[in-house]
Amino acid sequence: MNDVLSINIRVAGREYPIKTPPQEEFYLREAGRIINERIKTYYERGYTDDQDILVMVAIDSLVARQKGDESVKQLQEVIMERISMLDKTINPILSP
């Protein structure tokens, strides 16, 4: 069944209607909350232009995403190395 929710996310004082699967609702609401927090931070830093603030929030978000992607990649490499080490240790024992 293709359940779709209609929700509204408020970002920078505006409501944005979004249709989403129920399992993504939390992530969308959390994204809206984080964006609004970051907008508030830039206002507190003295930024006044809404366009500048939104661009800075977008840049911050993409940098955070890139850092997260790099961390995942490094973790996957470590896991693969350890699996390979285990394989080299166990294979001689299991082979007659």
Side-chain angles (χ1 to χ4, degrees):
M1 216 160 131
N2 288 335
D3 290 335
V4 176
L5 295 176
S6 293
I7 63 172
N8 289 311
I9 304 294
R10 181 178 283 277
V11 174
R14 287 184 156 174
E15 291 283 332
Y16 293 91
I18 300 174
K19 292 186 184 292
T20 181
Q23 63 270 23
E24 291 184 14
E25 178 185 9
F26 169 79
Y27 299 107
L28 288 167
R29 292 193 185 281
E30 187 67 7
R33 185 189 66 74
I34 292 168
I35 291 167
N36 286 320
E37 283 180 3
R38 289 182 180 174
I39 288 170
K40 181 181 175 189
T41 299
Y42 277 101
Y43 275 118
E44 290 169 352
R45 290 182 185 171
Y47 286 79
T48 57
D49 183 75
D50 290 344
Q51 183 71 29
D52 288 346
I53 291 170
L54 291 173
V55 167
M56 294 304 293
V57 168
I59 290 170
D60 286 349
S61 298
L62 287 173
V63 167
R65 169 71 189 263
Q66 289 172 329
K67 287 179 180 179
D69 288 350
E70 183 62 30
S71 293
V72 167
K73 182 179 175 187
Q74 290 173 356
L75 182 58
Q76 287 173 335
E77 289 172 2
V78 168
I79 290 169
M80 290 307 296
E81 287 173 13
R82 291 189 180 170
I83 288 172
S84 178
M85 287 172 41
L86 285 171
D87 188 46
K88 288 177 184 174
T89 302
I90 293 172
N91 264 345
I93 297 169
L94 296 177
S95 298

